[in-house]
Amino acid sequence: MFTGIVETIGTVTRLDQHDTTASGGGGTSLTISNSAAILEDAHLGDSISINGTCLTVTEFSKDEFKVGVSPETLRLTNLGSLKEGSGVNLERAVSATTRMGGHFVQGHVDTIASIVETRPDGNAITFRLQPRDRSVLRYIVKKGYVTLDGASLTITNVDDAEGWWEVMLIAYTQEKVVMARKQQGDDVNVEVDMVGKYVEKSVTAYFEGSAWDGGSMMEKMVQRMVDERLKGR
């Protein structure tokens, strides 16, 4: 679990394709340097969010660490487009003493979104994004949360019909996340707010029911009304 508050920007210094040791076979291993800020309390097997993707530390030293990336993860995220020298957002998993400055982030990427427009607004930058999988738009609400490349950001505008939403990066945030370096046509990893998913499932179960509860709540209410009506005859 993460908060979406990026701790530092690391640099990809090595990519080993088909590294069976780190990736588990057929994937790629990444070595990321300039990471001393998040490695002071590191252990093998720790989870670290890399551009919003939860990955496991397989090796580490004082300033760099290595993770394995499976073929499935490469297909579903933008990690497959990384090159030597690419910057990546890094965050350690939360601990009992972590301040929840962002929101609950799992590190499970839902889809990739493309930057379709950037425009300055004073010293801030507004990004308009269009997701590859438009079904995630039902979880995107104005003033709600969304995780982009592992950074917790606030949605400033959304258009369900045209299939896009916008976020704004203030000057301070531009210095702290890799998205500020990206341009129109670049991709970002997207994780929607998981609270919305739980609410959707609960509401759906309430009104539509499930196999183990004997039908939907609506059906039960109607049946109760019919039963009471019949008793009154």
Side-chain angles (χ1 to χ4, degrees):
M1 184 72 70
F2 307 91
T3 68
I5 303 300
V6 176
E7 294 186 84
T8 190
I9 296 178
T11 303
V12 176
T13 53
R14 185 172 178 179
L15 298 92
D16 294 317
Q17 295 186 349
H18 309 297
D19 185 331
T20 58
T21 301
S23 69
T28 297
S29 68
L30 300 176
T31 300
I32 300 173
S33 63
N34 298 329
S35 308
I38 64 166
L39 296 175
E40 57 188 16
D41 57 352
H43 299 84
L44 290 178
D46 280 357
S47 294
I48 292 181
S49 170
I50 302 175
N51 275 4
T53 308
C54 179
L55 296 172
T56 302
V57 175
T58 58
E59 298 178 21
F60 72 95
S61 62
K62 184 177 180 180
D63 187 56
E64 67 178 25
F65 68 99
K66 186 175 183 179
V67 296
V69 188
S70 71
E72 179 74 359
T73 300
L74 292 173
R75 286 190 292 269
L76 297 178
T77 71
N78 64 10
L79 299 186
S81 63
L82 294 176
K83 302 175 182 178
E84 291 186 6
S86 295
V88 288
N89 291 331
L90 301 176
E91 182 191 357
R92 290 169 289 187
V94 298
S95 67
T97 58
T98 301
R99 296 184 65 181
M100 184 55 68
H103 70 284
F104 292 114
V105 176
Q106 293 177 296
H108 301 160
V109 175
D110 291 302
T111 190
I112 291 174
S114 295
I115 299 172
V116 295
E117 180 184 325
T118 64
R119 62 181 187 274
D121 188 353
N123 64 355
I125 304 174
T126 293
F127 289 80
R128 178 172 293 184
L129 301 112
Q130 193 166 62
R132 176 186 296 175
D133 178 5
R134 293 200 177 193
S135 68
V136 301
L137 283 163
R138 66 181 182 271
Y139 306 114
I140 302 295
V141 295
K142 190 172 182 178
K143 304 305 180 185
Y145 294 116
V146 68
T147 307
L148 302 178
D149 279 343
S152 174
L153 297 168
T154 302
I155 298 156
T156 58
N157 200 6
V158 59
D159 190 316
D160 292 325
E162 295 189 8
W164 54 258
W165 73 83
E166 294 180 339
V167 297
M168 179 181 288
L169 300 187
I170 62 173
Y172 176 83
T173 306
Q174 292 171 38
E175 299 175 358
K176 303 297 181 180
V177 300
V178 297
M179 187 171 168
R181 309 174 184 178
K182 296 190 173 184
Q183 302 174 346
Q184 183 175 340
D186 289 340
D187 291 333
V188 298
N189 291 329
V190 178
E191 180 184 333
V192 298
D193 188 359
M194 67 177 181
V195 174
K197 295 180 180 179
Y198 286 124
V199 170
E200 180 186 52
K201 185 172 184 178
S202 297
V203 172
T204 299
Y206 183 86
F207 285 104
E208 296 182 1
S210 55
W212 62 82
D213 66 5
S216 72
M217 181 61 66
M218 189 65 71
E219 290 174 343
K220 293 177 182 178
M221 291 172 61
V222 172
Q223 186 61 52
R224 188 179 302 116
M225 293 172 63
V226 171
D227 291 343
E228 291 177 354
R229 189 69 177 271
L230 291 174
K231 287 180 182 179
R233 290 184 174 180

